[in-house]
Amino acid sequence: MAGSVVSTFWGPVTSTTDLCEQNYAYGSYIAEFYNTISNIPCILLAFIGLINAMSQCFEKRFSVLHISNLTLAIGSMIFHATLQHVLQQSDETPMVWEILLYLYVLYSPDWHYRSTMPTFLFLYGAAFAIFHSLIRFGIGFKIHYIGLCLLCIPRVYKYYIQTKDVAAKYLAKLYVTTLILGTLCWLFDRIFCKEFSHWYINPQGHAWWHVLMGFNSYFANTFLMFCRGQQLGWDPWVVHVFGFFPYVKIQKPKKQE
C-alpha cells in the first residue's frame, strides 16, 4: 500500500500487486516488512519437512515437494521486500509449480501411463513460466491458481476417507482448517484494506496468510507422506514432538532398506 514518498533502495513499485501494508514503513530496504518476515516460519517448516523426508529415505517426490515450499517462501520474501514486477514472478510462478507437484503426488499412484504425467506437468509449468514472464496476468493468475487448487480437492478427500488412522485424519483436518483461516485472512486484507488503513494497528491479514499457508503446506505434506507410506506398506505412524508438533515415522520392510 503506497504511503508517503520516501527514498527506496529498490526504486518505484512496479508490481501488479500492492497489498494492505504501508510500503517502506521500517526503512528503505524492505517494501512490506510484515509480509516479508512472515515467510520465515514457512522456510523453517519446509526445512523440517525436508530433513524428515530425507532422513527416512522417503521417495524423492517428497523432498522435491518440501524444496518447492522452501523456494516459494524465499521467492515470496524477495517479492514483498522489493515489490518489483520482475521479482513478482519469483512468488507467483513457484506457486503454480508447487500445485503441479501436488497434482503429481496426489494422482500419480493410480496413473497408468507413468511417464506422461510428469512430462505433461513439466511442460505445463515451463510454458506458464515463459508466458508469465511476458504477460501481466492480474486477476487471470488468481483464477488459474484457484482452478489448479480445486483439482487437488477430490483426491485429498479420497485419501482422507481411505485413511483409518485418527492422528493422520487430524492432520488432514489441520490442513483444511489452516486453508480456511488463511483464505479468510487474505480476503479480509483485500476487501477491508481501506478500513484497516485507518486502524491504529493494521491486523496484517496477508502476513497471517503466509504463516497459515506455511503450516498448511507442512500439514498437507505430512498427511501425504503418511498416505504414501501406507500405499507402499511402510507401516507409517504420526509422532508428535513436545506433544503437539506432528511428523511421520515409517518402518520399511527389511528387504526394501
Side-chain angles (χ1 to χ4, degrees):
M1 183 173 64
S4 57
V5 178
V6 295
S7 176
T8 67
F9 181 80
W10 305 106
V13 172
T14 58
S15 67
T16 58
T17 300
D18 191 3
L19 297 159
C20 194
E21 179 179 354
Q22 184 177 344
N23 297 343
Y24 297 102
Y26 298 94
S28 61
Y29 291 96
I30 301 179
E32 295 177 337
F33 179 79
Y34 291 106
N35 288 343
T36 300
I37 66 171
S38 58
N39 284 287
I40 295 174
C42 309
I43 293 173
L44 294 176
L45 288 165
F47 264 122
I48 292 170
L50 178 61
I51 291 169
N52 184 34
M54 295 182 66
S55 64
Q56 298 191 81
C57 297
F58 268 91
E59 292 174 299
K60 290 181 181 179
R61 66 185 68 184
F62 289 105
S63 295
V64 174
L65 193 56
H66 288 296
I67 291 172
S68 77
N69 298 151
L70 179 63
T71 302
L72 174 57
I74 293 173
S76 178
M77 180 178 283
I78 293 171
F79 164 60
H80 287 290
T82 64
L83 289 182
Q84 298 298 299
H85 178 254
V86 67
L87 295 173
Q88 184 174 349
Q89 293 162 61
S90 70
D91 179 25
E92 294 181 346
T93 299
M95 288 173 67
V96 171
W97 288 349
E98 181 184 64
I99 292 299
L100 294 178
L101 280 169
Y102 277 115
L103 288 172
Y104 174 73
V105 171
L106 285 165
Y107 286 97
S108 63
D110 294 331
W111 195 263
H112 297 296
Y113 304 100
R114 296 279 176 103
S115 63
T116 58
M117 175 176 282
T119 301
F120 171 77
L121 293 177
F122 174 81
L123 293 175
Y124 188 98
F128 174 81
I130 293 171
F131 281 110
H132 193 38
S133 68
L134 300 173
I135 303 171
R136 297 196 178 199
F137 284 101
I139 188 65
F141 169 80
K142 297 177 178 64
I143 295 172
H144 173 246
Y145 182 73
I146 291 171
L148 291 175
C149 291
L150 291 175
L151 291 176
C152 296
I153 293 176
R155 195 67 173 187
V156 172
Y157 179 70
K158 178 182 178 181
Y159 282 178
Y160 176 79
I161 61 176
Q162 288 180 341
T163 301
K164 305 303 179 185
D165 187 271
V166 175
K169 280 182 172 289
Y170 188 64
L171 284 173
K173 291 176 182 177
L174 287 173
Y175 159 75
V176 173
T177 300
T178 50
L179 178 61
I180 293 172
L181 291 176
T183 302
L184 288 175
C185 288
W186 185 87
L187 285 172
F188 287 159
D189 188 74
R190 300 289 289 180
I191 296 171
F192 301 110
C193 179
K194 187 175 293 186
E195 288 76 8
F196 290 157
S197 65
H198 298 296
W199 289 18
Y200 182 72
I201 298 177
N202 186 330
Q204 304 298 343
H206 196 82
W208 283 111
W209 151 264
H210 286 163
V211 174
L212 288 165
M213 294 311 293
F215 279 98
N216 176 264
S217 296
Y218 180 82
F219 293 141
N221 295 356
T222 306
F223 175 68
L224 292 176
M225 289 166 71
F226 179 92
C227 294
R228 187 58 176 162
Q230 280 192 321
Q231 292 171 349
L232 297 172
W234 289 351
D235 192 25
W237 70 97
V238 179
V239 180
H240 293 86
V241 180
F242 306 120
F244 67 92
F245 188 80
Y247 71 98
V248 171
K249 292 278 288 183
I250 56 174
Q251 182 64 52
K252 294 183 179 181
K254 291 191 181 289
K255 64 180 181 180
Q256 295 186 32
E257 293 181 343

